[in-house]
Amino acid sequence: METLGGTRLARLFNERQNELLGEWVPQQYAIASRRGGVTEVQLRDQFVQFVAVVCAALESSDRVDFKTRGWDEVRGFLADVSTQRARQGFTPVETAMFVFSLKEPLFARLRVELAADPATLAELTWTISTLFDAMGLYTTEVFQTSREQVIVRQQQELLELSTPVVQLWDGILALPLIGTLDSARTQVVMESLLQKIVDTGAAIAVIDITGVPTVDTLVAQHLLKTVAAARLMGADCIISGIRPQIAQTIVHLGVNLQNVITKATLADAFVVALSRTGKSVSGAGAHGEAPGAPGPLRGNQFAGD
């Protein structure tokens, strides 16, 4: 975009700034007030900064080209505004209106000043249109990139929150899983579990899949990888939450869990874990006697045996 009129547009901005501000702020505040977090004072400050950087770029050359280095500061300012609005919950259209809502006030003043010079009016109108369209599209591009980054970060945070590793007892960890296991989530699960094993020196880790809706070959392979990684760190794993339907599915799929201890419930797995670590939980009976400690591990357990 290379058209004449940069210095003239800069003069128009400078001379009519208060008038433009008076029309631009109410429009922007009507949009911003629906989202919250943006005050009228902040909008005025943003407008003043925007006009300042645009005028500096316009005055640097009589040719208006938003893609040149002379507009770096404008692009930086618009990128900051777009990123901030993406985090505040604005839509792409509402963000682009930060730029587009200035077009009509500018056109109105040009029509008054250049009523006797239609050729110059047409040229400057075209210059404003192409310049502001380029700036508006740029805000949309930055907004989409920022929104994608926010979504990715939220997904990562949800993955971390959905894979908590808790210490049930001295030397015993539990990892309750809820939802479907995929490769990305398995990696987070594995990293969280291994780090917790390092931090606590745990010897047993119970992986509870009660909240996993289905177990197919891929999910089973992910579980086996996690078990193998934990073993390399010196910790044995017990898989709990093996419901009848999942047990049948695993058998039909031919998944080999022969070397993995499995139990029907987390409570059953906890009893086995206590036995493996030489610990027991006792409580007062009806006449004060304590029940016996859990029995020793009986080889491979499957589906609540």
Side-chain angles (χ1 to χ4, degrees):
M1 177 178 61
E2 295 189 358
T3 52
L4 294 173
T7 53
R8 184 150 193 172
L9 286 177
R11 187 171 65 252
L12 178 62
F13 269 115
N14 287 322
E15 293 176 354
R16 304 287 185 169
Q17 180 169 327
N18 289 335
E19 296 176 19
L20 295 171
L21 178 65
E23 294 187 27
W24 182 85
V25 168
Q27 295 182 43
Q28 284 299 302
Y29 188 69
I31 296 173
S33 60
R34 295 197 297 268
R35 300 299 172 187
V38 181
T39 66
E40 187 172 341
V41 174
Q42 290 173 325
L43 287 174
R44 289 178 177 274
D45 290 341
Q46 286 181 338
F47 177 84
V48 172
Q49 294 175 44
F50 179 52
V51 170
V53 294
V54 169
C55 286
L58 289 170
E59 291 170 349
S60 64
S61 173
D62 201 43
R63 292 192 175 275
V64 181
D65 189 349
F66 182 67
K67 296 180 180 179
T68 60
R69 294 183 60 182
W71 290 80
D72 286 349
E73 193 172 354
V74 178
R75 287 192 293 271
F77 174 81
L78 292 176
D80 290 341
V81 171
S82 299
T83 301
Q84 182 181 10
R85 293 197 167 202
R87 293 171 179 167
Q88 292 172 331
F90 285 75
T91 67
V93 173
E94 289 170 343
T95 302
M97 286 302 295
F98 181 89
V99 173
F100 290 147
S101 57
L102 258 178
K103 291 174 71 172
E104 181 55 35
L106 284 171
F107 290 155
R109 276 138 191 86
L110 281 177
R111 286 193 294 269
V112 172
E113 293 189 8
L114 299 174
D117 190 355
T120 303
L121 174 62
E123 182 179 4
L124 288 179
T125 299
W126 175 253
T127 298
I128 291 174
S129 294
T130 50
L131 172 62
F132 276 67
D133 287 350
M135 289 192 293
L137 290 174
Y138 181 76
T139 63
T140 303
E141 292 174 2
V142 175
F143 179 94
Q144 296 286 34
T145 302
S146 301
R147 179 59 90 187
E148 289 171 2
Q149 292 172 348
V150 169
I151 292 172
V152 169
R153 187 176 68 252
Q154 289 175 340
Q155 289 175 335
Q156 292 173 342
E157 291 172 352
L158 285 174
L159 278 176
E160 294 171 359
L161 289 173
S162 64
T163 54
V165 182
V166 295
Q167 187 164 1
L168 291 180
W169 208 265
D170 184 27
I172 303 174
L173 300 177
L175 175 60
L177 298 177
I178 299 175
T180 304
L181 279 177
D182 55 21
S183 298
R185 191 176 179 205
T186 300
Q187 185 66 30
V188 175
V189 168
M190 197 179 299
E191 291 175 358
S192 300
L193 180 59
L194 296 182
Q195 186 59 51
K196 196 70 172 181
I197 291 172
V198 171
D199 295 340
T200 63
I204 302 290
V206 179
I207 302 176
D208 184 69
I209 62 171
T210 304
V212 177
T214 58
V215 173
D216 55 19
T217 305
L218 185 60
V219 171
Q221 292 301 323
H222 288 325
L223 289 172
L224 290 175
K225 288 179 182 178
T226 304
V227 171
R231 282 177 175 168
L232 289 174
M233 299 296 295
D236 287 331
C237 286
I238 302 171
I239 298 179
S240 66
I242 303 291
R243 304 185 299 279
Q245 305 93 318
I246 289 182
Q248 292 178 38
T249 301
I250 290 175
V251 171
H252 291 154
L253 292 173
V255 177
N256 184 12
L257 292 179
Q258 199 170 29
N259 297 321
V260 182
I261 304 169
T262 59
K263 303 299 288 183
T265 66
L266 179 59
D268 293 337
F270 184 45
V271 170
V272 175
L274 287 172
S275 177
R276 290 288 297 269
T277 56
K279 301 178 179 66
S280 65
V281 177
S282 61
H287 302 288
E289 68 273 10
L297 180 66
R298 304 190 309 274
N300 295 325
Q301 305 295 314
F302 184 74
D305 286 345

